[in-house]
Amino acid sequence: MQTEYCQRREQLMARIGNGTAIFCSAPTTVMHNDVKYIYRQDSDFFYLTGFNEAKAVAILAPHHEEYRFILFVQPKDQEKEVWSGYRCGVDAAKGIYGADEAYPIAELDEKLPQFLEKADRIYYHIGRDRDFNDTILKHYQCLLHTYPKRGTGPIAIEDTSSILHSLRLHKSKTELDLMRQAADIAVEAHNHALQITAPGRYEYEIQAEIEYIFRLRGGMGPAYPSIVAAGTNACVLHYIENNCQMQENELLLIDAGCAYGYYNSDITRTFPIGGKFTPEQKALYEIVLEAQKQAIEEVQAGNPFTAPHNTAVRILTEGLVELGLLKGEIDKLIEEEKYKPFYMHRTSHWLGLDVHDVGVYQHGENPQLLQPGQVLTIEPGLYIVPGTKPAADQPDIDARWVGIGIRIEDDVLVSADGYEVLTAGVPKEVKDLER
Ligand code: GLY
Ligand code: MN
Ligand code: MN
C-alpha cells in the first residue's frame, strides 16, 4: 500500500513543477466538554500518505535538493499516549510512511520556510482549520516581503484541488477493492434489514442491526448518519431521528452505507414494511425503479455526467403525468422544472474517500464526461411531501398519494465497456420486496 501512496505523491509532484504543496491533517472535533469524536483523517491527506493521526502536516517539494516528501507529526510521548492513544512518532514517519525527512509538529514554523523559499508557488487548499490557514498566509507574506532580497520564492497560492481531485476521481484497483468491500458489507446489511423489518418494530432497531453488521464485518462504521425512515419520514431527505414505530401499510426507506478502509458505499432501498405495496406505493415505486434502471444504462464512458439525471427526470416526469400528479407537455414540464416539488435532488454524486466525493461535475457549460474508473451513485426518488402546494397550472394532489417517499440508490462504476453496479446484491424488483 505504501507503494501506492508513493505513486500518488509522484503523480501530484509531476504536476506541480517548482511548486510546494502543503496538506494539513483534519482537526479533532469535540462531541461535548472534553470528549472528542472518533478521529477521521482528512481525505486528501490520507490519499497521499495513509497517515491517520491528527496534528500533522505533509509537504511535497519536488524541487527541493534533499527532501521531496516531508512529514511533521506529533512526537512519541509515553505519558500522553497512555491517555489518548498510540502515536507513530517522528522516526516511524520516515520508516513506515516513507517520508524523506520528518520533524516534530512543533518545529513547523522553523522548518517550513526552507521548503518554500525556492518554490514558485504554494499549492494549498484553504481549509477548515483557520489557524493553519493563518500559518500559511503568514509564511507566504513573510517570503513575499523578503522576495526582493532573493529573487526567488512563491508569488502565488494556488488551490491544490483541481490537480489532486482529478486524480482522486479515478479509482485505482486498490481503491476499487476497498470500495467493493464497503459495498459488499452494506449489501449484506440491507439484505438483513429486509429480513427483520416488521410492523411494530422501531426504525432504530433496524439502524442498530445495520450498523452492527458494518462493524462486525470490519467496517469503520456508517459512511454517513444512517437514514431509516418509515412512512412520511421518508419525505425528509436527511431524516436521521430514526425513532418511530413502523406501521403495517407504510414503506420503509433505508439510506445507509458503510465506510471500509476509508472508502464508502451509499445504498438506498424502499420496501413495504408489511410485505405488500399499496396500489399507490407500487405505482410510484415502479416509476422510480424504471427511472433508476434507465439512468444506470446511461453510465457509459463518454456520456456526460448529466445523462443519468436527465433520463431519470424524463421518466419520473412521464410517470407523474400518467398518474395525474402533473399535467402538460413533457418537454415543457421538464424545462419549467414542474417535477421539482416531487423530485428536488440530483440523481448522482461521485463516491470514494468522501461520500459526496471530490471532482468537478461541470466545466463551465460542459458537463464532465464519464470515464472508466469513476464511481457515481444513481439515486432517483419521488416524494409526495405533505403540505406541497401544486403550481397554479397543476392538479391538486389527491390525499391518497400524500406522505409516500421513495428513493432507490446504487453505486455504479464506469467500466471500459459500460458499467458495473457495485451494490447489485440488494433486491429492488417489486416481486423480490413483497412477501
Ligand atoms: N446518503 C447520502 C446521499 O445519498 O447522498
Ligand atoms: Mn448518495
Ligand atoms: Mn444515500
Side-chain angles (χ1 to χ4, degrees):
M1 195 57 214
Q2 284 306 321
T3 319
E4 177 143 343
Y5 295 125
C6 182
Q7 282 166 358
R8 294 173 190 171
R9 292 192 293 271
E10 289 300 332
Q11 279 181 302
L12 184 67
M13 285 196 280
R15 288 178 205 195
I16 64 173
N18 284 325
T20 292
I22 305 172
F23 300 91
C24 182
S25 60
T28 49
T29 46
V30 172
M31 184 186 269
H32 44 69
N33 200 8
D34 58 353
V35 173
K36 307 238 171 50
Y37 280 105
I38 293 172
Y39 186 71
R40 203 298 190 161
Q41 187 56 282
D42 172 81
S43 295
D44 283 345
F45 199 102
F46 189 82
Y47 181 79
L48 292 168
T49 65
F51 189 76
N52 64 2
E53 290 179 33
K55 297 199 174 86
V57 169
I59 310 283
L60 297 179
H63 50 81
H64 196 269
E65 297 86 359
E66 276 185 285
Y67 309 130
R68 299 166 75 236
F69 170 40
I70 306 97
L71 275 175
F72 290 84
V73 301
Q74 298 180 95
K76 296 292 287 177
D77 182 329
Q78 198 179 356
E79 204 180 317
K80 293 214 169 89
E81 287 176 63
V82 165
W83 285 92
S84 48
Y86 174 77
R87 292 177 180 184
C88 132
V90 174
D91 292 341
K94 289 167 73 173
I96 298 176
Y97 292 94
D100 299 324
E101 187 52 284
Y103 305 104
I105 187 71
E107 293 179 20
L108 182 73
D109 268 338
E110 176 199 334
K111 298 287 189 333
L112 185 57
Q114 64 176 295
F115 300 109
L116 300 178
E117 275 164 8
K118 292 191 179 154
D120 58 7
R121 63 191 54 217
I122 295 171
Y123 285 88
Y124 177 65
H125 176 69
I126 306 279
R128 297 185 265 173
D129 188 333
R130 294 192 170 212
D131 288 344
F132 195 71
N133 293 340
D134 287 346
T135 298
I136 299 304
L137 283 177
K138 180 184 71 183
H139 282 280
Y140 176 51
Q141 214 167 15
C142 190
L143 287 163
L144 277 179
H145 190 66
T146 55
Y147 183 92
K149 286 198 199 126
R150 291 185 315 275
T152 65
I155 50 165
I157 296 182
E158 187 166 326
D159 193 274
T160 327
S161 308
S162 63
I163 302 173
L164 182 57
H165 295 175
S166 67
L167 297 177
R168 276 180 56 188
L169 190 48
H170 295 91
K171 274 63 182 176
S172 68
K173 175 168 181 323
T174 314
E175 290 181 291
L176 288 175
D177 286 347
L178 293 167
M179 292 191 75
R180 284 181 211 284
Q181 282 285 348
D184 287 352
I185 296 171
V187 163
E188 182 181 328
H190 274 262
N191 279 318
H192 180 66
L194 258 170
Q195 300 299 318
I196 61 166
T197 294
R201 296 200 73 178
Y202 282 81
E203 294 165 340
Y204 56 74
E205 296 177 49
I206 310 304
Q207 175 189 1
E209 299 218 24
I210 287 171
E211 295 178 4
Y212 168 73
I213 291 175
F214 289 171
R215 284 297 280 153
L216 190 71
R217 291 274 312 268
M220 298 164 79
Y224 48 87
S226 305
I227 297 166
V228 182
T232 311
N233 295 338
C235 292
V236 178
L237 298 181
H238 292 155
Y239 172 82
I240 53 170
E241 286 78 3
N242 303 348
N243 56 6
C244 289
Q245 193 175 28
M246 300 185 286
Q247 310 298 326
E248 174 81 30
N249 287 325
E250 291 176 336
L251 296 178
L252 184 65
L253 182 155
I254 301 177
D255 184 346
C258 177
Y260 182 89
Y262 276 82
Y263 287 81
N264 299 295
S265 53
D266 182 3
I267 304 179
T268 308
R269 287 294 185 269
T270 311
F271 57 90
I273 289 164
K276 285 274 175 291
F277 285 96
T278 66
E280 288 77 18
Q281 290 166 349
K282 190 168 170 187
L284 287 168
Y285 186 88
E286 283 179 332
I287 295 167
V288 178
L289 181 60
E290 185 60 19
Q292 205 242 7
K293 287 180 178 172
Q294 295 293 333
I296 289 175
E297 290 302 318
E298 296 292 343
V299 180
Q300 305 282 341
N303 269 4
F305 177 82
T306 43
H309 180 68
N310 292 341
T311 294
V313 162
R314 179 160 296 276
I315 292 169
L316 294 174
T317 305
E318 286 169 356
L320 289 166
V321 168
E322 260 173 52
L323 297 184
L325 284 158
L326 285 179
K327 68 170 193 227
E329 203 259 312
I330 301 294
D331 285 337
K332 191 147 178 280
L333 291 170
I334 292 173
E335 194 188 309
E336 294 177 356
E337 299 187 332
K338 288 282 166 50
Y339 59 85
K340 273 216 166 155
F342 308 110
Y343 183 44
M344 59 297 280
H345 60 79
R346 304 285 300 181
T347 303
S348 303
H349 53 81
W350 303 125
L351 183 70
L353 279 171
D354 294 318
V355 175
H356 293 173
D357 207 23
V358 295
V360 294
Y361 293 106
Q362 195 90 13
H363 302 280
E365 290 294 291
N366 304 314
Q368 163 94 256
L369 298 184
L370 298 177
Q371 292 163 30
Q374 296 171 341
V375 181
L376 66 160
T377 64
I378 300 289
E379 50 178 306
L382 282 176
Y383 313 88
I384 320 298
V385 182
T388 300
K389 298 264 173 296
D393 61 344
Q394 292 299 314
D396 285 339
I397 300 166
D398 195 297
R400 66 202 169 102
W401 303 109
V402 175
I404 300 177
I406 295 162
R407 178 164 66 256
I408 308 173
E409 175 174 27
D410 281 302
D411 304 341
V412 186
L413 165 68
V414 187
S415 62
D417 53 1
Y419 62 81
E420 179 188 336
V421 181
L422 303 179
T423 48
V426 198
K428 56 188 177 187
E429 296 297 329
V430 168
K431 68 173 173 36
D432 298 324
L433 298 178
E434 290 199 318
R435 294 190 297 268

